Amino acid sequence: MQIAIVLYDRFTALDAVGPYEVLTRVPDARTVFVAEQAGPVRTDTGALALVADQTFAEVTAPDVVVVPGGPGQSALMDHAPLLDWLRAADATSTWTTSVCTGSLLLGAAGLLKGRHATSHWLALEQLTALGAEPTAERVVLDGKYVTGAGVSAGIDMALTLAGRIGGDEVAQSIQLATEYDPRPPYDAGSPDKAPAHLAEALRERSRFILR
Amino acid sequence: MQIAIVLYDRFTALDAVGPYEVLTRVPDARTVFVAEQAGPVRTDTGALALVADQTFAEVTAPDVVVVPGGPGQSALMDHAPLLDWLRAADATSTWTTSVCTGSLLLGAAGLLKGRHATSHWLALEQLTALGAEPTAERVVLDGKYVTGAGVSAGIDMALTLAGRIGGDEVAQSIQLATEYDPRPPYDAGSPDKAPAHLAEALRERSRFILR
């Protein structure tokens, strides 16, 4: 089973690495990081690069496609090399997935028409214009399409998917191996829980740049 | 404020990227990935490389040190270039931190003597031989030393640290921006919650390789 995780300039690192850390532990999974060009791809902060080992041309029929989000997404909404690859990979994939604003790229490729899907809470409504039905849940399954909410939700998305692929015990073993027993020191992880003025400040900032 | 995240061959990606994604969002933070040699550093699975932008020699006085864990840790317990750098960096750091078996490297450098510390649940007892007091909590603070449990615990460790560095609202804003409102689809993230036979199987596997 080949898992292809897409990289592009100014993606958000945890969007990609959360699902990687979970899905790469599914028995018989082979994970590959793929981009338009092979080599280092910089994240949104500029302080980190992940290496894409293969090009889109080299990865033609992955079983699982994972598309992370990040500020770089907005520059790619009509970028044919990515969108064409997504459509071609989706034609034979078993699962097509995203984290955060990665769902906007799936939508731009025309893959979410009439589908329930989620995204970062700041971007959720943008799914409507792409023909999808925005669904404010952490992980949304609709047929073979699995979308996760913002950034850290990729871990929950991938564990859900690992259970579908390998069964409950595979997913539970991965959860235990990665000691995923979260204890956030604050309870501010969604706009209905965080102090209102902090949510408003992020909403204001996101008009210029979605992080 | 400079945050130095250490990379080494066969580290675990999420151990490094979880804290990165949180700490890099602290106002005025400058994050750098550092290793013995600059360039791509492969993770434990071989399927991913992160780029170290600077060498140990180039990063001499970071304010925050983050040491991830991973199977590669066991080969470094008497590796002078790393342990000497950790000791020198710690001499002037404000915070010295680890995720997972990264605490064993801090211990090997002699930095945890008499300190409470944690690690991956499969490695916790190894802290005793390094002079530390194993503490089975998700995040342990003892003076300027902040250690996190296995793999995913680096996110909780870093949010705790972000609150200490920038205050509660900075940490809450980061939690909201990364939508860290975890909803694991299973409740198997610690050995006391997971099915016993799955914990036993991991314990057996870890005799050969700790992942």
Side-chain angles (χ1 to χ4, degrees), chain A residues 7 12-15 17-18 20-21 24-25 30-33 40 42-51 53 119-122 137-139 149-153 155-156 159-160 162-164 167-195 197-200 202 205 211, chain B residues 7 12-15 17-18 20-21 24-25 30-33 40 42-51 53 119-122 137-139 149-153 155-156 159-160 162-164 167-195 197-200 202 205 211:
Chain A
L7 299 181
T12 297
L14 186 55
D15 289 30
V17 172
Y20 152 83
E21 198 63 67
T24 196
R25 295 167 188 261
R30 290 176 300 111
T31 305
V32 60
F33 283 80
R42 284 275 149 192
T43 68
D44 46 6
T45 66
L48 173 61
L50 271 63
V51 177
D53 283 326
S119 188
H120 193 288
W121 62 274
L122 282 167
E137 290 173 17
R138 191 144 176 93
V139 178
V151 191
S152 62
I155 300 173
D156 293 332
L159 265 181
T160 302
R164 296 295 177 114
D168 291 345
E169 291 206 346
V170 161
Q172 289 171 312
S173 280
I174 293 170
Q175 186 179 8
L176 182 56
T178 57
E179 210 163 342
Y180 185 48
D181 186 22
R183 305 271 174 88
Y186 303 92
D187 189 19
S190 70
D192 55 314
K193 293 177 177 175
H197 70 285
L198 298 182
E200 190 48 45
L202 277 180
R205 260 175 58 197
R211 313 184 41 164
Chain B
L7 299 181
T12 296
L14 187 56
D15 289 30
V17 171
Y20 152 83
E21 197 64 65
T24 196
R25 294 167 188 263
R30 291 176 299 111
T31 305
V32 61
F33 284 80
R42 285 274 149 192
T43 67
D44 46 7
T45 67
L48 173 61
L50 270 63
V51 176
D53 283 326
S119 189
H120 193 287
W121 61 274
L122 282 168
E137 290 173 16
R138 190 142 177 95
V139 178
V151 191
S152 62
I155 300 172
D156 294 332
L159 266 180
T160 302
R164 297 295 178 114
D168 290 345
E169 292 206 344
V170 161
Q172 289 171 312
S173 280
I174 294 171
Q175 184 179 8
L176 182 57
T178 56
E179 210 164 339
Y180 184 48
D181 185 22
R183 306 269 175 88
Y186 303 91
D187 189 18
S190 70
D192 55 314
K193 293 176 176 177
H197 70 286
L198 298 182
E200 190 47 46
L202 277 179
R205 261 175 58 197
R211 311 186 41 165

Side-chain angles (χ1 to χ4, degrees), chain B residues 29-84:
Chain B
R30 291 176 299 111
T31 305
V32 61
F33 284 80
V34 61
E36 193 172 341
Q37 297 181 316
V41 182
R42 285 274 149 192
T43 67
D44 46 7
T45 67
L48 173 61
L50 270 63
V51 176
D53 283 326
Q54 297 202 299
T55 66
F56 288 152
E58 292 171 313
V59 179
T60 55
D63 301 284
V64 180
V65 176
V66 181
V67 183
Q73 155 269 321
S74 58
L76 298 171
M77 294 293 280
D78 56 4
H79 187 64
L82 173 61
L83 302 188
D84 288 348

